[in-house]
Amino acid sequence: MRLATTANEAYTASLAVSELLGCKQCGGGRGQDEELGIRIPRPLGHGPSRFIPEKEILQVGSEDAQMHTLFADSFAALGRLDNITLVMVFHPQYLESFLKTQHYLLQMDGPLPLHYRHYIGIMAAARHQCSYLVNLHVNDFLHVGGDPKWLNGLENAPQKLQNLGELNKVLAHRPWLITKEHIEGLLKAEEHSWSLAELVHAVVLLTHYHSLASFTFGCGISPEIHCDGGHTFRPPSVSNYCICDITNGNHSVDEMQVNSAGNVSVSDSFFEVEALMEKMRQLQECRDEEEASQEEMASRFEIEKRESMFVFSSDDEEVTPARDVSRHFEDTSYGYKDFSRHGMHVPTFRVQDYCWEDHGYSLVNRLYPDVGQLIDEKFHIAYNLTYNTMAMHKDVDTSMLRRAIWNYIHCMFGIRYDDYDYGEINQLLDRSFKVYIKTVVCTPEKVTKRMYDSFWRQFKHSEKVHVNLLLIEARMQAELLYALRAITRYMT
């Protein structure tokens, strides 16, 4: 198939560019290029992810038939095989659903014109300073005929898109503050007003790219070689390593230090897995023996909600957005704040009163046909995905752990499930894991490799990528619930 071959060639070329450069150790030459004054870029990073060793990520050309089809479909839809796809392919079932949904949102018939869709993607990604996604959609925006002047700053875009800035801001950082007044302001803006169908399309795009920014930072996605930050023209300053080693993913001495003061032994991390397995067994036994009262369940939710406010990272410092990203949104000082800080009290969002399955799904599907179905499928795949493994253990029921992760994220957003015992969260999620979860979901631009490495140390990278799929889908659903509830209140 020529299309797939083109995809393979494009990616292989970006990875193998170092072969053109040569070095003293491998015998390659650069003399002719130097004489011509040609500056050939080489990959700056070590494969698709800064957090996951390149050798552990599926290489193009070694995939099975299903993954080959996914790569070809991704290349056909996007005109590229990006690093997000190459990391998500750890979980082909999810990737297929993700690509199908994203393709529909960006390219199939819908209320919004194509250039608006990509510009909204830029606005959403910029709120989290995700230059990786911003760069991708700047190119796509121009490719579909978008006006380059809009890229000089949000103030150069049409007033209709500028008006979306407030909803983008609140939805990204404090979605519990969204009210029907936000919706009314967009729908009744005279000549710049949005239709309900357009607004639902915009909301889905905003939530999709806010959550995708979380995945990008949470998995340490590296820029492609043709993007800013994805290449270098100078040999890295690392001793005892061939340049070809560096560009092929071998790490520098500093990155490969072992048994340093901060490291935990293999036996300690093995014990963590065994302890987690034992906690799951004990909790299941407690469930079977007795069930907490509704009052006790409500109390445990409030306790967990309050405790989530005090989960923060030692790296929790302000990240100043670069000009090329910050120009795509207003109010750069506005960011995540816990909903109970500064004396603010936000009423609990009870899922029994407004949930995705009974309310949000039908509203989206009615105003933007088929999208509700696609999103619903993606939610279910991420939530139910399991290989019945935990690190080195097989035949494990992981449903309790997956539900704890999902419900913890919704708890941070003030969303409560009446039938869930929130006491389980503290049993199953340790502090380092909670720090990672909260950072990825609320302030993804602050995620570090240290955070990624510090939780589930004995687990496979594919399992950590699975965690990120749970995080981004739970986040997207939480944002959608607040936005769609506000739209419903406006409509009624």
Side-chain angles (χ1 to χ4, degrees):
M1 184 177 183
R2 178 59 192 162
L3 181 62
T5 303
T6 305
N8 293 350
E9 290 172 353
Y11 180 65
T12 303
S14 70
L15 289 180
V17 69
S18 59
E19 295 175 12
L20 300 174
L21 296 168
C23 70
K24 293 179 181 178
Q25 294 186 40
C26 67
R30 291 183 295 165
Q32 184 177 3
D33 294 332
E34 287 176 345
E35 289 174 10
L36 294 173
I38 297 172
R39 303 176 73 221
I40 302 176
R42 65 168 57 83
L44 186 63
H46 312 296
S49 167
R50 294 180 294 108
F51 298 168
I52 306 171
E54 185 179 0
K55 63 185 178 182
E56 297 192 31
I57 293 177
L58 178 72
Q59 298 298 303
V60 177
S62 63
E63 70 274 11
D64 60 23
Q66 180 192 13
M67 294 181 186
H68 182 83
T69 301
L70 284 174
F71 284 158
D73 289 346
S74 176
F75 190 82
L78 302 173
R80 59 179 177 264
L81 196 55
D82 60 32
N83 288 339
I84 287 176
T85 299
L86 292 167
V87 172
M88 274 190 186
V89 82
F90 273 120
H91 305 285
Q93 184 187 8
Y94 175 86
L95 176 59
E96 183 176 11
S97 177
F98 171 85
L99 291 174
K100 189 164 52 173
T101 304
Q102 183 167 260
H103 176 67
Y104 196 95
L105 289 173
L106 293 176
Q107 294 176 278
M108 299 298 285
D109 288 343
L112 293 174
L114 297 183
H115 63 302
Y116 265 51
R117 304 180 197 193
H118 290 293
Y119 197 82
I120 290 170
I122 293 169
M123 291 173 63
R127 280 280 11 153
H128 283 307
Q129 304 161 40
C130 187
S131 57
Y132 176 90
L133 291 175
V134 169
N135 288 335
L136 289 183
H137 285 280
V138 162
N139 291 332
D140 291 338
F141 172 77
L142 295 172
H143 181 71
V144 298
D147 186 345
K149 293 178 183 176
W150 297 11
L151 300 176
N152 292 330
L154 183 58
E155 67 276 7
N156 296 288
Q159 187 62 45
K160 184 173 179 176
L161 283 168
Q162 292 184 45
N163 292 347
L164 194 65
E166 180 70 14
L167 183 65
N168 179 30
K169 177 179 79 173
V170 180
L171 198 57
H173 305 299
R174 307 173 202 176
W176 47 86
L177 297 181
I178 293 174
T179 65
K180 68 177 183 179
E181 283 73 30
H182 286 105
I183 307 305
E184 185 175 25
L186 290 166
L187 297 176
K188 293 186 175 181
E190 298 178 351
E191 70 268 25
H192 306 299
S193 64
W194 293 73
S195 70
L196 269 173
E198 288 175 331
L199 184 56
V200 167
H201 193 171
V203 164
V204 173
L205 283 168
L206 290 172
T207 59
H208 176 81
Y209 282 104
H210 293 158
S211 62
L212 194 55
S214 285
F215 184 85
T216 300
F217 286 114
C219 291
I221 300 295
S222 301
E224 275 79 15
I225 189 173
H226 62 278
C227 294
D228 290 342
H231 62 267
T232 180
F233 292 106
R234 293 190 301 276
S237 178
V238 179
S239 60
N240 302 323
Y241 275 86
C242 165
I243 293 302
C244 291
D245 284 339
I246 300 299
T247 55
N248 282 326
N250 295 330
H251 294 177
S252 67
V253 176
D254 288 341
E255 290 174 328
M256 296 186 69
Q257 292 293 337
V258 292
N259 295 327
S260 60
N263 283 357
V264 176
S265 69
V266 173
S267 60
D268 286 344
S269 58
F270 176 82
F271 176 74
E272 288 177 349
V273 178
E274 299 303 315
L276 180 55
M277 295 275 290
E278 178 60 22
K279 287 176 182 176
M280 289 169 63
R281 187 187 64 78
Q282 292 175 359
L283 285 171
Q284 187 58 55
E285 288 179 356
C286 291
R287 276 186 186 177
D288 296 339
E289 291 174 5
E290 60 178 327
E291 186 173 318
S293 66
Q294 282 297 314
E295 292 76 12
E296 179 62 23
M297 301 263 260
S299 174
R300 290 174 184 175
F301 169 79
E302 292 300 328
I303 291 171
E304 189 59 49
K305 189 171 72 168
R306 283 196 302 272
E307 287 186 356
S308 74
M309 292 169 43
F310 301 104
V311 173
F312 58 91
S313 162
S314 57
D315 299 305
D316 193 13
E317 57 187 39
E318 292 302 318
V319 179
T320 304
R323 163 62 188 158
D324 62 336
V325 173
S326 65
R327 64 188 174 199
H328 298 300
F329 64 93
E330 299 169 331
D331 196 357
T332 57
S333 64
Y334 191 94
Y336 174 80
K337 297 289 184 191
D338 289 303
F339 47 76
S340 296
R341 290 269 170 95
H342 310 300
M344 181 188 302
H345 176 70
V346 178
T348 294
F349 187 127
R350 300 179 70 208
V351 171
Q352 72 176 45
D353 297 330
Y354 195 96
C355 68
W356 166 255
E357 291 79 5
D358 297 335
H359 306 93
Y361 167 84
S362 58
L363 178 60
V364 171
N365 242 24
R366 183 160 40 118
L367 294 169
Y368 188 8
D370 298 328
V371 167
Q373 178 65 40
L374 289 168
I375 295 172
D376 187 63
E377 176 186 279
K378 189 158 59 76
F379 286 157
H380 279 283
I381 289 174
Y383 187 88
N384 295 310
L385 184 65
T386 182
Y387 305 96
N388 299 113
T389 61
M390 277 183 60
M392 69 294 295
H393 295 280
K394 298 181 179 179
D395 301 318
V396 181
D397 181 358
T398 62
S399 57
M400 179 183 293
L401 185 56
R402 284 181 277 118
R403 190 179 186 191
I405 294 169
W406 188 280
N407 286 4
Y408 179 61
I409 295 160
H410 280 197
C411 179
M412 290 192 302
F413 283 82
I415 298 172
R416 180 191 165 205
Y417 294 82
D418 286 352
D419 63 345
Y420 183 69
D421 182 356
Y422 287 85
E424 293 185 4
I425 290 175
N426 274 338
Q427 295 292 314
L428 298 175
L429 313 183
D430 63 24
R431 181 169 181 79
S432 63
F433 193 13
K434 284 184 173 183
V435 166
Y436 178 79
I437 291 173
K438 186 172 184 180
T439 308
V440 169
V441 171
C442 302
T443 54
E445 61 277 8
K446 297 179 181 178
V447 174
T448 64
K449 187 176 187 299
R450 183 189 60 76
M451 292 180 199
Y452 176 88
D453 290 338
S454 68
F455 82 94
W456 284 11
R457 286 164 286 194
Q458 197 66 17
F459 283 71
K460 301 171 186 174
H461 289 291
S462 62
E463 292 172 308
K464 291 193 172 190
V465 172
H466 183 191
V467 166
N468 275 282
L469 299 183
L470 283 168
L471 303 192
I472 67 174
E473 294 302 334
R475 174 188 178 166
M476 182 174 179
Q477 189 177 99
E479 286 190 25
L480 278 175
L481 285 174
Y482 278 108
L484 295 174
R485 185 180 68 169
I487 292 173
T488 299
R489 287 177 171 173
Y490 166 81
M491 293 170 65
T492 55

